[in-house]
Every structure is written in structure tokens, then in C-alpha cells.
Amino acid sequence: MGLVSAVLTLPLAPVRGTAWVLDQVILAAEREYYDPERVRGELAALERELTSGLIDADEFDRREDELLDRLEEAEAYRQGSRSGR
């Protein structure tokens, strides 16, 4: 980048910086949401809630279905990120 273009685009620097930070936050959130180990941990915690009587079978089934769907999404996300997403 030349000196003139650096001076002319200087007012845009905060916008570029903010956009970069937002991209990093989104990437981190996606990595966390689509982490299969995290979802499996949530499934294990859900089973503990059921066995300890904190939730009933209907609540367990509903939340388990959501987590299993999320686990499938996580596997698809990981496959997509490996192939250049």
C-alpha cells in the first residue's frame, strides 16, 4: 500500500478494525457452538438431569432431539470447514 492510499484510506481504519473484530467473534462463537465434544457433554449433563429427577422424560426427549440435531450440524460444519468452507 502506498503512502497516498494509506493516507486516503486512514479514515476507514476503525471500520476495518471493527469488521475484523466482529469476524473473529463470529468465528469463535461458531467454533464453540459446533464443537461436537461440547454437544456430547451437554447430552451427558442432560442424561444426569433425567436420572436425578430434575427433568421428566418429555423434557429430556425434546432437549435430546435438539442436541442430536445440533450434533449433526456440528459434524456437517466440521466437514464443510475441512473442505474449504
XYZ file of all heavy atoms in Angstrom:
674
model
N 0.865 -1.163 0.000
C 0.000 0.000 0.000
C 0.908 1.221 0.000
O 1.807 1.347 0.812
C -0.908 -0.051 1.228
C -1.853 1.127 1.306
S -2.873 1.158 2.794
C -3.923 -0.231 2.579
N 0.638 2.119 -0.888
C 1.449 3.317 -0.975
C 1.070 4.334 0.080
O 0.053 4.221 0.762
N 1.901 5.330 0.224
C 1.672 6.370 1.227
C 0.382 7.133 0.964
O -0.397 7.375 1.889
C 2.867 7.334 1.257
C 2.768 8.482 2.259
C 2.643 7.921 3.669
C 3.971 9.383 2.154
N 0.129 7.492 -0.289
C -1.078 8.253 -0.621
C -2.326 7.440 -0.322
O -3.266 7.930 0.302
C -1.054 8.702 -2.101
C -2.365 9.344 -2.492
C 0.099 9.667 -2.346
N -2.341 6.181 -0.752
C -3.531 5.368 -0.489
C -3.691 5.101 1.008
O -4.809 5.022 1.508
C -3.483 4.060 -1.270
O -2.361 3.309 -0.900
N -2.591 4.976 1.745
C -2.675 4.793 3.195
C -3.292 6.014 3.853
O -4.137 5.893 4.744
C -1.291 4.516 3.768
N -2.910 7.206 3.418
C -3.458 8.439 3.988
C -4.928 8.587 3.612
O -5.756 8.967 4.445
C -2.636 9.666 3.523
C -3.337 10.965 3.899
C -1.239 9.615 4.123
N -5.259 8.263 2.361
C -6.647 8.414 1.916
C -7.601 7.419 2.570
O -8.768 7.726 2.793
C -6.734 8.290 0.389
C -6.083 9.422 -0.396
C -6.138 9.128 -1.884
C -6.748 10.760 -0.088
N -7.116 6.231 2.876
C -7.985 5.224 3.495
C -7.900 5.213 5.021
O -8.573 4.422 5.666
C -7.656 3.823 2.959
O -6.299 3.516 3.257
C -7.915 3.726 1.463
N -7.112 6.085 5.589
C -6.969 6.139 7.042
C -8.302 6.326 7.775
O -8.527 5.678 8.800
C -5.976 7.241 7.436
C -5.579 7.292 8.909
C -4.924 5.960 9.312
C -4.645 8.444 9.168
N -9.201 7.178 7.280
C -10.482 7.308 7.985
C -11.287 6.011 8.051
O -12.153 5.869 8.915
C -11.232 8.359 7.171
C -10.180 9.131 6.475
C -9.086 8.142 6.195
N -11.010 5.066 7.182
C -11.738 3.795 7.195
C -11.133 2.772 8.146
O -11.705 1.705 8.359
C -11.787 3.216 5.782
C -12.513 4.058 4.734
C -12.406 3.392 3.374
C -13.956 4.270 5.117
N -9.996 3.066 8.723
C -9.312 2.109 9.589
C -10.185 1.620 10.749
O -10.226 0.413 11.014
C -8.002 2.695 10.106
N -10.916 2.494 11.448
C -11.772 1.983 12.538
C -12.852 1.030 12.044
O -13.171 0.054 12.717
C -12.386 3.243 13.139
C -11.467 4.340 12.760
C -10.889 3.950 11.431
N -13.385 1.292 10.852
C -14.414 0.415 10.299
C -13.820 -0.950 9.976
O -14.404 -1.991 10.291
C -15.054 1.054 9.045
C -16.009 0.095 8.362
C -15.753 2.352 9.408
N -12.657 -0.965 9.344
C -11.996 -2.235 9.027
C -11.644 -2.989 10.303
O -11.793 -4.207 10.370
C -10.750 -1.988 8.184
C -11.056 -1.613 6.742
C -9.804 -1.690 5.880
N -8.694 -0.915 6.411
C -8.338 0.298 5.993
N -9.020 0.876 5.030
N -7.314 0.914 6.521
N -11.182 -2.273 11.292
C -10.834 -2.925 12.564
C -12.051 -3.517 13.244
O -12.003 -4.637 13.757
N -13.144 -2.773 13.244
C -14.377 -3.267 13.852
C -14.887 -4.485 13.107
O -15.323 -5.465 13.723
C -15.447 -2.157 13.861
O -14.942 -1.045 14.604
C -16.736 -2.633 14.492
N -14.838 -4.452 11.785
C -15.291 -5.595 10.989
C -14.435 -6.824 11.278
O -14.956 -7.942 11.404
C -15.241 -5.251 9.501
N -13.128 -6.629 11.436
C -12.249 -7.753 11.735
C -12.593 -8.356 13.096
O -12.661 -9.577 13.249
C -10.788 -7.302 11.699
C -9.839 -8.418 11.994
C -9.360 -9.339 11.125
C -9.283 -8.741 13.282
N -8.527 -10.219 11.775
C -8.464 -9.876 13.094
C -9.392 -8.191 14.547
C -7.766 -10.466 14.143
C -8.687 -8.785 15.588
C -7.890 -9.897 15.384
N -12.816 -7.497 14.085
C -13.155 -7.976 15.426
C -14.471 -8.760 15.386
O -14.578 -9.839 15.974
C -13.241 -6.803 16.428
C -13.860 -7.243 17.735
C -11.862 -6.211 16.667
N -15.462 -8.244 14.683
C -16.741 -8.949 14.580
C -16.569 -10.302 13.894
O -17.168 -11.293 14.322
C -17.761 -8.101 13.826
C -18.283 -6.878 14.576
C -19.183 -6.045 13.682
C -19.021 -7.297 15.837
N -15.763 -10.361 12.856
C -15.492 -11.634 12.192
C -14.865 -12.635 13.161
O -15.230 -13.811 13.173
C -14.562 -11.444 10.994
C -15.264 -10.841 9.793
O -16.516 -10.855 9.752
O -14.552 -10.354 8.886
N -13.926 -12.169 13.978
C -13.273 -13.056 14.943
C -14.253 -13.556 15.998
O -14.206 -14.725 16.403
C -12.086 -12.346 15.605
C -10.987 -11.956 14.640
C -10.500 -13.121 13.812
O -10.124 -14.161 14.339
N -10.528 -12.964 12.501
N -15.148 -12.690 16.451
C -16.157 -13.082 17.445
C -17.090 -14.132 16.849
O -17.409 -15.141 17.492
C -16.938 -11.854 17.945
C -18.153 -12.260 18.770
C -16.033 -10.945 18.754
N -17.515 -13.918 15.611
C -18.400 -14.876 14.949
C -17.700 -16.215 14.774
O -18.292 -17.276 15.040
C -18.894 -14.309 13.602
C -19.873 -13.164 13.850
C -19.542 -15.392 12.744
C -20.221 -12.361 12.618
N -16.458 -16.204 14.336
C -15.716 -17.456 14.174
C -15.571 -18.206 15.494
O -15.733 -19.427 15.548
C -14.339 -17.180 13.572
C -14.314 -16.846 12.086
C -12.900 -16.423 11.665
C -14.773 -18.023 11.264
N -15.279 -17.484 16.556
C -15.136 -18.127 17.869
C -16.471 -18.714 18.331
O -16.506 -19.831 18.870
C -14.616 -17.118 18.890
N -17.554 -17.983 18.121
C -18.873 -18.480 18.509
C -19.252 -19.716 17.702
O -19.802 -20.684 18.256
C -19.918 -17.380 18.324
N -18.951 -19.714 16.410
C -19.238 -20.878 15.580
C -18.431 -22.084 16.041
O -18.957 -23.196 16.133
C -18.931 -20.593 14.109
C -19.960 -19.741 13.421
C -19.612 -19.463 11.969
O -18.446 -19.682 11.558
O -20.507 -19.024 11.232
N -17.151 -21.880 16.328
C -16.313 -22.990 16.790
C -16.873 -23.578 18.085
O -16.895 -24.799 18.259
C -14.879 -22.530 17.003
C -14.062 -22.592 15.748
C -12.584 -22.324 16.040
N -12.197 -21.195 15.214
C -11.828 -20.008 15.643
N -11.726 -19.776 16.927
N -11.525 -19.055 14.808
N -17.307 -22.732 18.973
C -17.840 -23.213 20.248
C -19.178 -23.922 20.044
O -19.412 -24.994 20.590
C -18.013 -22.042 21.214
C -18.444 -22.464 22.587
C -18.459 -21.313 23.559
O -17.566 -20.461 23.519
O -19.405 -21.265 24.371
N -20.072 -23.324 19.262
C -21.406 -23.894 19.043
C -21.313 -25.227 18.322
O -22.053 -26.157 18.627
C -22.260 -22.913 18.234
C -23.665 -23.392 17.999
C -24.643 -23.273 18.986
C -24.034 -23.983 16.794
C -25.931 -23.719 18.774
C -25.317 -24.430 16.574
C -26.265 -24.295 17.566
O -27.548 -24.746 17.358
N -20.408 -25.316 17.352
C -20.293 -26.519 16.538
C -19.237 -27.496 17.041
O -18.823 -28.391 16.307
C -19.997 -26.142 15.084
C -21.154 -25.481 14.394
C -21.056 -24.192 13.914
C -22.361 -26.149 14.217
C -22.120 -23.580 13.277
C -23.431 -25.553 13.584
C -23.302 -24.269 13.110
O -24.365 -23.668 12.481
N -18.811 -27.379 18.271
C -17.842 -28.303 18.845
C -18.570 -29.578 19.274
O -19.373 -29.554 20.211
C -17.148 -27.660 20.041
C -16.126 -28.571 20.691
O -15.798 -29.626 20.106
O -15.653 -28.227 21.788
N -18.309 -30.707 18.596
C -19.029 -31.940 18.930
C -18.811 -32.390 20.376
O -19.730 -32.919 21.006
C -18.460 -32.984 17.960
C -17.730 -32.238 16.922
C -17.396 -30.894 17.489
N -17.629 -32.177 20.912
C -17.365 -32.575 22.298
C -18.232 -31.782 23.273
O -18.700 -32.312 24.274
C -15.888 -32.415 22.636
C -14.999 -33.402 21.908
C -15.429 -34.845 22.129
O -15.680 -35.232 23.288
O -15.532 -35.581 21.133
N -18.431 -30.530 22.979
C -19.287 -29.702 23.841
C -20.725 -30.210 23.802
O -21.389 -30.303 24.836
C -19.203 -28.250 23.398
C -20.006 -27.312 24.256
C -19.831 -25.872 23.769
N -20.644 -24.963 24.518
C -20.232 -24.270 25.553
N -18.986 -24.379 25.948
N -21.044 -23.470 26.198
N -21.205 -30.550 22.608
C -22.575 -31.058 22.472
C -22.701 -32.392 23.199
O -23.696 -32.627 23.900
C -22.972 -31.184 20.986
C -24.372 -31.767 20.848
C -22.896 -29.843 20.279
N -21.706 -33.257 23.064
C -21.748 -34.540 23.778
C -21.758 -34.322 25.291
O -22.429 -35.042 26.031
C -20.561 -35.411 23.372
C -20.699 -35.958 21.981
C -19.556 -36.909 21.625
N -19.606 -37.251 20.224
C -18.820 -36.733 19.285
N -17.874 -35.875 19.610
N -18.960 -37.091 18.033
N -21.020 -33.331 25.754
C -21.043 -33.003 27.182
C -22.414 -32.531 27.630
O -22.877 -32.872 28.723
N -23.073 -31.742 26.779
C -24.418 -31.287 27.101
C -25.401 -32.458 27.117
O -26.323 -32.496 27.943
C -24.864 -30.217 26.111
C -24.110 -28.908 26.282
C -24.554 -27.829 25.292
O -25.744 -27.815 24.915
O -23.706 -27.014 24.899
N -25.194 -33.437 26.219
C -26.033 -34.634 26.234
C -25.840 -35.422 27.530
O -26.810 -35.907 28.127
C -25.719 -35.524 25.030
C -26.331 -35.100 23.695
C -25.668 -35.854 22.549
C -27.829 -35.312 23.696
N -24.599 -35.538 27.969
C -24.324 -36.253 29.223
C -24.949 -35.525 30.409
O -25.533 -36.161 31.301
C -22.819 -36.397 29.420
N -24.853 -34.209 30.419
C -25.456 -33.432 31.508
C -26.972 -33.579 31.497
O -27.616 -33.667 32.560
C -25.060 -31.960 31.383
N -27.541 -33.626 30.295
C -28.988 -33.802 30.178
C -29.421 -35.148 30.745
O -30.419 -35.241 31.473
C -29.390 -33.676 28.707
C -30.873 -33.782 28.393
C -31.637 -32.626 29.034
C -31.090 -33.781 26.890
N -28.635 -36.176 30.462
C -28.953 -37.503 30.999
C -28.853 -37.509 32.525
O -29.678 -38.124 33.210
C -28.032 -38.551 30.400
C -28.440 -39.954 30.772
C -27.686 -41.012 30.006
O -26.996 -40.683 29.028
O -27.792 -42.184 30.400
N -27.873 -36.804 33.061
C -27.758 -36.709 34.530
C -28.977 -36.007 35.127
O -29.462 -36.392 36.192
C -26.475 -35.980 34.917
C -25.220 -36.824 34.749
C -24.005 -36.186 35.398
N -23.676 -34.880 34.839
C -22.895 -34.668 33.780
N -22.372 -35.693 33.139
N -22.646 -33.444 33.364
N -29.468 -34.970 34.418
C -30.673 -34.277 34.907
C -31.866 -35.228 34.936
O -32.677 -35.188 35.869
C -30.987 -33.068 34.022
C -30.032 -31.913 34.183
C -30.395 -30.735 33.277
O -31.571 -30.621 32.867
O -29.492 -29.939 32.982
N -31.969 -36.076 33.918
C -33.076 -37.037 33.865
C -32.969 -38.053 34.991
O -33.946 -38.299 35.711
C -33.105 -37.756 32.513
C -34.175 -38.838 32.356
C -35.567 -38.219 32.366
C -33.953 -39.633 31.081
N -31.779 -38.619 35.177
C -31.624 -39.660 36.200
C -31.749 -39.100 37.615
O -32.146 -39.822 38.525
C -30.274 -40.392 36.051
O -29.216 -39.452 36.119
C -30.219 -41.156 34.741
N -31.441 -37.823 37.783
C -31.586 -37.235 39.123
C -32.989 -36.696 39.364
O -33.280 -36.225 40.470
C -30.556 -36.125 39.323
O -30.831 -35.042 38.454
N -33.841 -36.756 38.366
C -35.225 -36.331 38.535
C -35.466 -34.848 38.350
O -36.556 -34.355 38.654
N -34.470 -34.125 37.859
C -34.643 -32.683 37.658
C -35.553 -32.370 36.476
O -36.193 -31.324 36.447
C -33.291 -32.002 37.456
C -32.349 -32.031 38.651
C -30.983 -31.473 38.265
C -32.949 -31.239 39.799
N -35.602 -33.288 35.501
C -36.487 -33.112 34.347
C -37.241 -34.412 34.107
O -36.795 -35.486 34.531
C -35.712 -32.704 33.074
C -34.676 -33.751 32.695
C -35.076 -31.337 33.231
C -33.990 -33.512 31.353
N -38.382 -34.312 33.418
C -39.136 -35.521 33.108
C -38.731 -36.048 31.730
O -37.928 -35.452 31.021
C -40.645 -35.259 33.179
C -41.127 -34.224 32.174
O -40.355 -33.818 31.293
O -42.307 -33.825 32.268
N -39.296 -37.191 31.363
C -38.917 -37.862 30.118
C -39.276 -37.018 28.887
O -38.533 -37.018 27.904
C -39.582 -39.227 30.037
N -40.410 -36.317 28.946
C -40.807 -35.487 27.799
C -39.804 -34.355 27.562
O -39.415 -34.093 26.425
C -42.211 -34.906 28.000
C -43.294 -35.967 27.934
O -43.058 -37.009 27.287
O -44.368 -35.751 28.525
N -39.397 -33.694 28.643
C -38.411 -32.613 28.539
C -37.080 -33.180 28.036
O -36.412 -32.577 27.203
C -38.229 -31.935 29.891
C -37.154 -30.877 29.925
C -37.522 -29.598 29.176
O -38.681 -29.449 28.775
O -36.622 -28.757 28.998
N -36.708 -34.346 28.556
C -35.472 -34.988 28.114
C -35.514 -35.267 26.617
O -34.569 -34.949 25.891
C -35.247 -36.300 28.886
C -34.065 -37.078 28.392
C -32.785 -36.765 28.809
C -34.233 -38.124 27.495
C -31.684 -37.467 28.343
C -33.145 -38.841 27.026
C -31.866 -38.513 27.450
N -36.625 -35.866 26.141
C -36.743 -36.191 24.715
C -36.660 -34.948 23.844
O -35.995 -34.947 22.808
C -38.054 -36.932 24.437
C -38.065 -38.344 25.000
O -36.974 -38.899 25.248
O -39.181 -38.881 25.183
N -37.333 -33.885 24.262
C -37.331 -32.655 23.469
C -35.918 -32.071 23.373
O -35.437 -31.770 22.288
C -38.285 -31.622 24.091
C -38.408 -30.334 23.283
C -39.238 -29.295 24.009
N -38.633 -28.845 25.251
C -37.601 -28.009 25.332
N -37.036 -27.549 24.246
N -37.123 -27.626 26.500
N -35.257 -31.957 24.518
C -33.911 -31.371 24.524
C -32.882 -32.286 23.879
O -31.956 -31.821 23.217
C -33.528 -31.005 25.952
C -34.341 -29.802 26.449
C -34.136 -29.450 27.900
N -32.749 -29.320 28.297
C -32.354 -29.265 29.576
N -33.238 -29.311 30.548
N -31.082 -29.151 29.868
N -33.069 -33.601 24.039
C -32.154 -34.544 23.406
C -32.243 -34.428 21.884
O -31.219 -34.438 21.188
C -32.472 -35.971 23.843
C -31.526 -36.994 23.222
C -31.939 -38.409 23.507
O -33.155 -38.719 23.436
O -31.035 -39.224 23.787
N -33.475 -34.319 21.355
C -33.637 -34.153 19.910
C -32.927 -32.901 19.407
O -32.263 -32.925 18.363
C -35.121 -34.089 19.531
C -35.819 -35.433 19.651
O -35.121 -36.471 19.697
O -37.071 -35.440 19.704
N -33.046 -31.806 20.164
C -32.372 -30.559 19.778
C -30.855 -30.745 19.754
O -30.173 -30.301 18.826
C -32.738 -29.431 20.742
C -34.174 -28.969 20.649
C -34.551 -27.987 21.747
O -33.693 -27.650 22.595
O -35.715 -27.555 21.776
N -30.332 -31.402 20.780
C -28.883 -31.605 20.858
C -28.385 -32.568 19.783
O -27.301 -32.362 19.216
C -28.485 -32.092 22.252
C -28.567 -31.037 23.351
C -28.409 -31.683 24.727
C -27.518 -29.961 23.139
N -29.159 -33.602 19.485
C -28.752 -34.526 18.429
C -28.760 -33.836 17.064
O -27.873 -34.074 16.238
C -29.643 -35.765 18.430
C -29.460 -36.692 19.629
C -30.488 -37.821 19.602
C -28.052 -37.249 19.693
N -29.746 -32.969 16.845
C -29.765 -32.177 15.607
C -28.534 -31.280 15.537
O -27.905 -31.139 14.490
C -31.036 -31.330 15.516
C -32.283 -32.148 15.244
O -32.157 -33.323 14.830
O -33.395 -31.605 15.452
N -28.209 -30.679 16.674
C -27.033 -29.804 16.724
C -25.749 -30.587 16.494
O -24.821 -30.102 15.845
C -26.995 -29.077 18.066
C -25.985 -27.968 18.103
C -26.231 -27.096 19.296
N -24.977 -26.855 19.955
C -24.820 -26.580 21.228
N -25.874 -26.503 22.011
N -23.638 -26.366 21.746
N -25.699 -31.816 16.988
C -24.531 -32.663 16.775
C -24.372 -32.977 15.285
O -23.258 -32.950 14.758
C -24.645 -33.942 17.599
C -23.422 -34.840 17.652
C -22.216 -34.107 18.206
C -23.719 -36.071 18.486
N -25.485 -33.251 14.611
C -25.425 -33.474 13.164
C -24.934 -32.216 12.447
O -24.116 -32.301 11.522
C -26.797 -33.863 12.629
C -27.220 -35.272 12.962
C -28.590 -35.610 12.414
O -29.041 -34.953 11.451
O -29.216 -36.540 12.946
N -25.442 -31.061 12.863
C -24.990 -29.795 12.284
C -23.494 -29.601 12.517
O -22.779 -29.117 11.633
C -25.738 -28.615 12.900
C -27.182 -28.495 12.510
C -27.867 -27.356 13.253
O -27.169 -26.447 13.770
O -29.100 -27.372 13.330
N -23.038 -29.965 13.710
C -21.621 -29.798 14.044
C -20.755 -30.657 13.142
O -19.711 -30.199 12.659
C -21.384 -30.153 15.516
N -21.188 -31.895 12.910
C -20.408 -32.772 12.034
C -20.392 -32.225 10.610
O -19.352 -32.236 9.946
C -20.966 -34.195 12.070
C -20.780 -34.894 13.412
C -19.323 -35.035 13.819
O -18.447 -35.169 12.946
O -19.057 -35.027 15.030
N -21.530 -31.728 10.130
C -21.591 -31.149 8.789
C -20.723 -29.892 8.705
O -20.041 -29.662 7.706
C -23.034 -30.831 8.420
N -20.745 -29.087 9.758
C -19.932 -27.866 9.799
C -18.446 -28.216 9.738
O -17.691 -27.612 8.994
C -20.241 -27.092 11.074
C -19.370 -25.880 11.288
C -19.650 -24.682 10.652
C -18.262 -25.928 12.133
C -18.859 -23.556 10.836
C -17.458 -24.821 12.327
C -17.764 -23.639 11.682
O -16.960 -22.533 11.873
N -18.062 -29.223 10.507
C -16.649 -29.624 10.525
C -16.228 -30.166 9.161
O -15.130 -29.907 8.704
C -16.394 -30.650 11.623
C -16.474 -30.032 13.008
C -16.345 -31.093 14.071
N -15.122 -31.839 13.924
C -14.079 -31.750 14.728
N -14.132 -30.930 15.748
N -12.995 -32.455 14.530
N -17.100 -30.926 8.525
C -16.789 -31.449 7.188
C -16.671 -30.290 6.196
O -15.789 -30.288 5.349
C -17.867 -32.432 6.719
C -17.903 -33.711 7.518
C -16.610 -34.490 7.453
O -15.960 -34.561 6.425
N -16.210 -35.067 8.575
N -17.544 -29.305 6.309
C -17.503 -28.147 5.427
C -16.266 -27.292 5.643
O -15.662 -26.786 4.699
N -15.846 -27.147 6.888
C -14.665 -26.320 7.166
C -13.394 -27.030 6.723
O -12.404 -26.388 6.393
C -14.589 -25.961 8.654
O -14.373 -27.110 9.442
N -13.401 -28.344 6.692
C -12.234 -29.087 6.227
C -12.095 -29.019 4.712
O -11.005 -29.107 4.186
C -12.328 -30.551 6.645
C -12.085 -30.747 8.104
C -12.091 -32.206 8.456
N -11.975 -32.347 9.878
C -12.545 -33.307 10.575
N -13.268 -34.213 9.968
N -12.403 -33.375 11.870
N -13.237 -28.863 4.019
C -13.172 -28.836 2.556
C -13.084 -27.420 2.018
O -13.325 -27.180 0.859
C -14.395 -29.543 1.962
O -15.571 -28.839 2.306
N -12.754 -26.481 2.884
C -12.539 -25.103 2.441
C -13.747 -24.209 2.567
O -13.809 -23.133 2.057
N -14.747 -24.647 3.222
C -15.980 -23.939 3.536
C -16.152 -22.651 2.879
O -15.666 -21.685 2.721
C -16.082 -23.800 5.037
C -17.432 -23.330 5.463
C -17.445 -23.294 6.924
N -17.260 -21.916 7.321
C -17.978 -21.289 8.190
N -18.913 -21.880 8.769
N -17.769 -20.073 8.545
